[in-house]
């Protein structure tokens, strides 16, 4: 009888142990599955065709419908500006470190306060900070643009003049110094969305249309034109848009005013170069607004070309260049062939050119950016 009871207890102990082990295994499996799901969801942040924006000092993304808002940064409200890499794998932003009195001579009023920030680069797939570039004392850092192949172009300044230009390779973790001419060319280069072509204006006043797959470089002379900048290749790769700013040729001696009889005033021109036919077409000519740093941007179906700086935003219809739209606001981004998103008075709006309708999209938000993944450079 004692032997029977002993065997019965052993069987019960074994069953209890096996059941406990099974429960622990199930819990562990559930935990691993949950962790894996969370890990995947963190790694698979869908950014393509989303709209990014700045709100409360943080970077957010949202669907074009205005749904599924997601916060990408967590800096306690210290983000000042942001840039996505063309691959949408990385995000770089200005992170406010402190405020200092702006350098200069201020007689009647106290010097205004100016933000000093570092440049932070994060890996969006792993939600990990890869690099923080901090300024030296009495130095300001400014991001210029994110180049293909995960290269960040930025410069430093003492608030009066540019100190130097730099290119940081995110993948290789390498920074190199650039001379002025190379930096200006890189900053002014436009890359086609599929990564197959680049266009830029060289210091020799030549337009370069380079096929990055074949390395063939078509060079077009611009020597008969004044200051030409802002090349932008169309989505169908058939045209390049260019901005030309003319310079008055006659001035009164000893003065900075133009001669009254000088009819050659400052003008801004937009030219469309037909690559196949090798000819230029003028689609815009207006008295110069006296601004530099313009950018030209094609709508996704090449129906329109936009001139961007700050306000006003100028949009030209290609089939009928006399049809020109002007808008207040800034931070203009196309989201389709006839619609764009922009910022005005600390709100983000959508505008439909066909319906000529402006719609409030986000309140108390700024700097909208439409996210479109670029193809890999060949």
């Amino acid at each position: 009888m004692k032997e029977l009871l002993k065997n019965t207890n052993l069987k019960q102990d074994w069953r209890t142990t096996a059941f406990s082990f099974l429960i622990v295994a199930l819990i562990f499996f559930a935990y691993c599955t949950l962790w894996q799901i969370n890990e995947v969801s963190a790694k698979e942040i869908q950014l393509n065709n989303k709209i990014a924006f700045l709100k409360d000092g943080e970077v957010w993304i949202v669907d074009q419908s205005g749904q599924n808002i997601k916060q990408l940064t967590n800096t306690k409200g210290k983000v000042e500006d942001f840039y996505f890499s063309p691959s949408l794998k990385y995000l770089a932003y200005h992170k406010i470190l402190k405020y200092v009195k702006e350098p200069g001579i201020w007689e009647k009023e106290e010097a205004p306060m100016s933000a000093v920030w570092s440049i932070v680069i994060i890996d969006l797939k792993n939600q990990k900070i890869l690099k923080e570039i901090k300024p030296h004392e009495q130095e300001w850092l400014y991001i210029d643009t994110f180049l293909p192949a995960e290269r960040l172009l930025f410069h430093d300044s003492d608030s009066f003049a540019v100190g130097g230009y730099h290119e940081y390779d995110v993948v290789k973790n390498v920074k190199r110094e650039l001379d002025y001419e190379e930096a200006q060319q890189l900053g002014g280069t436009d890359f086609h969305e599929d990564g197959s072509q680049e266009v830029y204006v060289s210091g020799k006043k030549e337009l370069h249309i380079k096929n990055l797959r074949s390395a063939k470089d078509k060079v077009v002379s611009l020597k008969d034109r004044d200051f030409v900048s802002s090349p932008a290749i169309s989505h169908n790769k058939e045209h390049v848009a260019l901005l030309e700013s003319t310079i008055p040729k006659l001035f009164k001696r000893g003065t900075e005013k133009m001669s009254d009889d000088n009819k050659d005033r400052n003008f801004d021109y937009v030219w469309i170069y037909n690559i196949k036919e090798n000819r230029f077409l003028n689609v815009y000519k207006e008295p110069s607004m006296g601004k530099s740093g313009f950018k030209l941007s094609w709508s996704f179906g090449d129906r329109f070309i936009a001139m961007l700086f700050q306000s006003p935003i100028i949009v030209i219809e290609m089939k009928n260049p006399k049809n020109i739209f002007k808008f207040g606001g800034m931070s203009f981004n196309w989201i389709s062939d006839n619609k764009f998103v922009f910022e005005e008075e600390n709100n983000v709006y959508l505008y439909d050119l066909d319906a000529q309708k402006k719609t409030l999209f986000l309140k108390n938000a700024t700097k909208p950016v439409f996210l479109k993944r670029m193809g890999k450079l060949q």
Side-chain angles (χ1 to χ4, degrees):
M1 179 64 70
K2 290 182 179 181
E3 188 67 26
L4 180 61
L5 289 174
K6 183 179 180 181
N7 290 336
T8 303
N9 290 335
L10 285 174
K11 289 180 181 180
Q12 288 178 345
D13 289 344
W14 180 85
R15 289 172 183 172
T16 301
T17 302
F19 180 75
S20 299
F21 178 79
L22 179 62
I23 293 297
V24 171
L26 288 173
I27 293 174
F28 179 75
F29 176 77
Y31 172 79
C32 289
T33 303
L34 183 61
W35 176 85
Q36 194 172 32
I37 291 173
N38 289 335
E39 186 73 9
V40 170
S41 64
K43 289 185 177 181
E44 294 184 355
I45 299 174
Q46 298 300 317
L47 297 173
N48 204 34
N49 296 321
K50 303 275 189 178
I51 296 173
F53 60 95
L54 194 65
K55 183 180 177 66
D56 299 326
E58 303 294 351
V59 181
W60 305 70
I61 56 170
V62 64
D63 294 342
Q64 294 181 47
S65 64
Q67 303 298 313
N68 299 318
I69 294 178
K70 181 176 180 63
Q71 185 175 339
L72 294 185
T73 60
N74 186 13
T75 67
K76 298 181 180 179
K78 294 181 180 180
V79 177
E80 181 75 10
D81 205 354
F82 63 94
Y83 297 78
F84 285 83
S85 68
S87 67
L88 302 184
K89 292 180 180 179
Y90 304 99
L91 170 66
Y93 58 85
H94 291 147
K95 177 185 174 183
I96 298 174
L97 300 176
K98 60 182 178 180
Y99 288 89
V100 299
K101 289 185 178 181
E102 192 169 304
I105 300 174
W106 307 88
E107 297 180 354
K108 296 183 179 180
E109 57 185 23
E110 188 175 342
M113 301 301 287
S114 177
V116 176
W117 50 67
S118 62
I119 295 175
V120 179
I121 304 170
I122 63 174
D123 180 341
L124 290 167
K125 183 178 181 180
N126 298 305
Q127 293 290 289
K128 178 183 178 182
I129 293 178
L130 298 178
K131 184 78 171 179
E132 182 171 8
I133 305 170
K134 294 185 177 181
H136 300 298
E137 196 66 28
Q138 294 296 313
E139 182 182 65
W140 280 259
L141 298 178
Y142 299 91
I143 298 173
D144 294 294
T145 188
F146 227 132
L147 300 166
E150 323 302 358
R151 297 169 297 151
L152 185 71
L153 179 65
F154 67 100
H155 69 273
D156 62 79
S157 170
D158 61 2
S159 86
F160 295 107
V162 173
Y165 287 93
H166 317 274
E167 179 192 85
Y168 176 69
D169 189 316
V170 177
V171 176
K172 297 179 180 178
N173 189 25
V174 174
K175 187 180 81 167
R176 71 182 184 98
E177 310 301 314
L178 306 176
D179 60 35
Y180 176 82
E181 185 174 341
E182 183 182 9
Q184 291 300 303
Q185 182 175 303
L186 281 173
T189 298
D190 184 46
F191 297 88
H192 192 268
E193 61 190 15
D194 67 3
S196 66
Q197 288 185 323
E198 66 176 13
V199 294
Y200 63 90
V201 176
S202 71
K204 297 180 180 180
K205 295 185 73 172
E206 294 174 334
L207 169 64
H208 290 255
I209 306 169
K210 188 172 183 179
N211 187 314
L212 297 174
R213 292 173 179 165
S214 66
K216 183 179 179 181
D217 187 9
K218 181 173 183 176
V219 181
V220 182
S221 176
L222 302 171
K223 290 183 178 179
D224 59 339
R225 308 194 182 280
D226 284 333
F227 182 73
V228 181
S229 63
S230 310
I233 189 165
S234 61
H235 294 273
N236 62 14
K237 304 180 188 178
E238 295 178 359
H239 302 90
V240 177
L242 295 159
L243 177 70
E244 178 186 10
S245 298
T246 60
I247 303 170
K249 298 176 182 177
L250 300 177
F251 291 86
K252 282 186 176 180
R253 290 186 178 180
T255 72
E256 295 180 355
K257 295 182 179 179
M258 290 185 295
S259 173
D260 294 335
D261 59 358
N262 179 21
K263 296 181 181 180
D264 191 10
R265 303 286 181 173
N266 284 42
F267 284 93
D268 289 329
Y269 296 83
V270 174
W271 296 94
I272 305 299
Y273 176 69
N274 187 309
I275 298 174
K276 185 177 180 180
E277 298 178 6
N278 191 32
R279 64 184 180 90
F280 287 91
L281 173 68
N282 177 244
V283 296
Y284 176 88
K285 177 186 176 183
E286 291 287 341
S288 175
M289 290 184 281
K291 299 176 180 179
S292 60
F294 273 107
K295 180 182 177 182
L296 298 176
S297 177
W298 293 90
S299 64
F300 288 137
D302 300 325
R303 283 181 60 194
F304 301 93
I305 188 81
M307 296 174 62
L308 314 176
F309 181 73
Q310 290 181 351
S311 188
I313 298 165
I314 299 172
V315 179
I316 307 162
E317 186 177 11
M318 287 295 93
K319 286 188 177 180
N320 182 15
K322 293 183 179 179
N323 196 9
I324 296 175
F325 304 86
K326 294 186 179 182
F327 307 90
M330 58 182 64
S331 300
F332 175 105
N333 274 245
W334 291 108
I335 61 174
S336 71
D337 196 29
N338 66 314
K339 296 178 183 178
F340 59 86
V341 61
F342 69 103
E343 168 197 343
E344 188 175 34
E345 297 179 349
N346 293 320
N347 293 314
V348 174
Y349 294 88
L350 296 176
Y351 193 91
D352 186 320
L353 285 165
D354 291 338
Q356 296 190 29
K357 182 180 179 182
K358 173 182 171 183
T359 305
L360 178 63
F361 185 61
L362 295 166
K363 287 185 177 181
N364 301 315
T366 60
K367 302 182 179 179
V369 176
F370 183 68
L371 302 178
K372 188 75 173 176
R373 185 180 295 111
M374 176 186 280
K376 187 176 181 181
L377 286 184
Q378 304 300 314

